[in-house]
Amino acid sequence: SSADLPEITITDAPAITCNDSEVVVIATVSPAEADYTITWTSLEGGTIVSGENTLMPTLGAAADYQIEVVNNTTGCTALQQVTIALDTVPPLATAGDDVTLTCAKDSVVLSGLGSSEGASIVYTWSALDGGSPPNPTDALQTTVTAAGTYMLEVRDTLTGCVATDMVMVVPDTALPNVQIAQPDILTCTMNIVE
């Protein structure tokens, strides 16, 4: 009868992420006091790393899995499937267009506008080639005071996935064009030059 069937509940089935290439699935069976044989199987290319005969297997790939529970006293069997999702999409990192540092402008603002945003997103600016330390290093926008290559790293703290983008700050090295007009020649009759 259906009263003799084990009842399986999957209480936790986390996704595979950039941080976690293996996950632990937590299942429960009731009635809890019965004698059970537990077997996990992968339905399509999944990997059971360990615990295939427990209620807490470690799984190593996004796929569909099945738990089979046999009540050893009654012989009744129950099956339950669970899908382990894959969440490895990197956030978007956009460091902006290259900018020019001039004599009149001794600092420039670098902007990560267009990058992923949200409570789980963290930004890190760094100088790679020359450059000055960005200030602040952990905001969507930062200020720098020297030419160089700068990198914006965008990290999703929930998944651990990271994206980067670079921006160049180039110096305006063009010399000003200064021209001095040929002065008039001073003579005895012309004693003022304009």
Side-chain angles (χ1 to χ4, degrees):
S1 77
S2 64
D4 294 331
L5 287 176
E7 185 177 321
I8 305 168
T9 305
I10 306 293
T11 60
D12 192 18
I16 299 286
T17 66
C18 295
N19 277 342
D20 300 310
S21 61
E22 297 178 353
V23 295
V24 175
V25 172
I26 300 173
T28 60
V29 180
S30 60
E33 61 278 352
D35 177 29
Y36 297 112
T37 298
I38 299 162
T39 307
W40 284 90
T41 56
S42 168
L43 299 179
E44 54 178 62
T47 304
I48 301 170
V49 177
S50 64
E52 75 179 76
N53 299 114
T54 72
L55 291 173
M56 294 177 44
T58 300
L59 308 177
D64 290 329
Y65 296 87
Q66 179 173 278
I67 180 175
E68 177 183 51
V69 176
V70 177
N71 183 323
N72 293 325
T73 304
T74 64
C76 293
T77 300
L79 300 172
Q80 176 78 38
Q81 290 185 11
V82 63
T83 299
I84 300 301
L86 182 65
D87 189 0
T88 57
V89 176
L92 181 63
T94 304
D97 295 330
D98 292 350
V99 293
T100 302
L101 195 62
T102 65
C103 294
K105 189 166 67 170
D106 62 356
S107 68
V108 292
V109 173
L110 304 179
S111 176
L113 291 176
S115 298
S116 295
E117 296 185 55
S120 67
I121 300 297
V122 174
Y123 309 101
T124 305
W125 286 94
S126 56
L128 297 181
D129 177 26
S132 62
N135 184 21
T137 60
D138 60 353
L140 190 56
Q141 295 183 345
T142 191
T143 302
V144 297
T145 58
T149 303
Y150 295 88
M151 181 175 73
L152 170 62
E153 177 184 279
V154 180
R155 175 181 299 276
D156 185 333
T157 58
L158 293 179
T159 65
C161 297
V162 175
T164 60
D165 193 26
M166 313 258 190
V167 63
M168 295 281 300
V169 175
V170 292
D172 182 0
T173 57
L175 297 175
N177 187 6
V178 178
Q179 295 182 354
I180 299 175
Q182 184 68 28
D184 292 333
I185 298 176
L186 285 176
T187 65
C188 293
T189 58
M190 184 176 202
N191 57 7
I192 299 175
V193 177
E194 296 180 12

